Amino acid sequence: MTSMSTPDATRTRLRNEKAILEAAERVFAQHGYRGASVQAIAEVAGLPKSNVLYYVGSKKQLYIALLERMVTRWNATLDDISVEDDPAQVLEAFIRSKMQLTKEHPQGSRLFAAEILGGAPFLQEYLHGELREWVRARARVFEQWAERGLMDPVDPVWLIFLIWSATQHYADFESQVLGITNRETLSDEDYRRITDFLCRVILKGCGVRP
């Protein structure tokens, strides 16, 4: 996004960019890429359409930026892990951070899910490049933990998929969860219990103790 120089201009830019990203996440999640428009995003953000284009360049650039930002948020906990770390602490922190993001950014999760269900036309380069290499690097650390006897030799890629899907379920399939549990919304206590449950089950399945 375009930068300015003065402190006041910088604050304005950051405020507008935040408003645009939040508005775009809502509009894209509700209408999909094809159904969304820059004009609709501008209206939700409370900004002129020309301002939105000035900051983000195009609808496509904004859409891809939102998708990649969501994955970056999800995976940040695992970015700097090493074989010297404790797998129990790393995996629990990963699950807990993912559940917190599911609670705080459900629209972003649904947006990503919709893109994947649609064949990921805007993410092919990212999935086959940066994200694939990211998964391979983390998988190697998991394998080294197993070699040291710190966890069972589970398939590390399937484990990452499992944590992604199990945590994102409560955003992507919220209507199903609420309907079956007869709730209007999930409370903080619900999220705590769900998170504890996932930590206990996944860590036990990996042969590590929380």
Side-chain angles (χ1 to χ4, degrees):
M1 295 186 177
T2 306
S3 62
M4 302 178 187
S5 54
T6 69
D8 286 344
T10 298
R11 284 192 291 271
T12 299
R13 172 177 59 81
L14 293 174
R15 183 174 62 250
N16 288 344
E17 288 178 355
K18 184 175 184 291
I20 291 167
L21 289 170
E22 290 177 353
E25 194 169 82
R26 289 172 54 190
V27 173
F28 282 129
Q30 183 176 358
H31 300 288
Y33 180 79
R34 291 186 178 182
S37 67
V38 175
Q39 182 60 47
I41 293 168
E43 290 173 2
V44 173
L47 295 167
K49 178 180 176 181
S50 58
N51 281 33
V52 174
L53 291 173
Y54 171 78
Y55 285 113
V56 303
S58 69
K59 184 175 85 167
K60 180 179 178 181
Q61 287 175 294
L62 176 56
Y63 181 71
I64 294 174
L66 281 173
L67 294 171
E68 294 186 356
R69 182 182 72 160
M70 197 69 230
V71 179
T72 299
R73 282 173 171 172
W74 283 336
N75 295 337
T77 304
L78 295 187
D79 277 345
D80 299 319
I81 64 170
S82 77
V83 69
E84 303 304 325
D85 292 324
D86 177 1
Q89 292 179 355
V90 169
L91 292 173
E92 181 167 352
F94 186 36
I95 295 166
R96 292 190 180 281
S97 69
K98 286 284 279 85
M99 282 301 299
Q100 187 66 28
L101 288 167
T102 288
K103 176 185 173 184
E104 295 176 354
H105 301 283
Q107 298 280 21
S109 182
R110 293 175 196 136
L111 176 64
F112 186 84
E115 170 68 12
I116 297 300
L117 289 171
F122 293 97
L123 284 180
Q124 288 301 313
E125 181 177 349
Y126 179 68
L127 295 176
H128 287 84
E130 181 180 339
L131 189 57
R132 176 185 287 179
E133 292 306 312
W134 184 92
V135 169
R136 285 177 173 173
R138 273 79 220 160
R140 181 54 189 149
V141 174
F142 290 9
E143 289 168 346
Q144 290 174 310
W145 284 337
E147 290 166 3
R148 292 187 175 193
L150 299 176
M151 64 185 293
D152 290 346
V154 297
D155 188 298
V157 175
W158 303 151
L159 176 57
I160 292 172
F161 288 162
L162 172 62
I163 296 174
W164 282 346
S165 60
T167 52
Q168 289 155 227
H169 175 86
Y170 295 92
D172 303 345
F173 290 85
E174 182 186 47
S175 296
Q176 173 182 279
V177 171
L178 297 180
I180 292 173
T181 60
N182 195 29
R183 285 168 165 79
E184 292 186 3
T185 187
L186 291 177
S187 66
D188 290 344
E189 176 63 14
D190 290 327
Y191 274 105
R192 185 193 67 76
R193 291 174 61 195
I194 293 166
T195 303
D196 288 346
F197 167 78
L198 291 176
C199 288
R200 184 167 61 252
V201 171
I202 293 174
L203 268 62
K204 184 176 181 180
C206 296
V208 298
R209 177 176 294 179

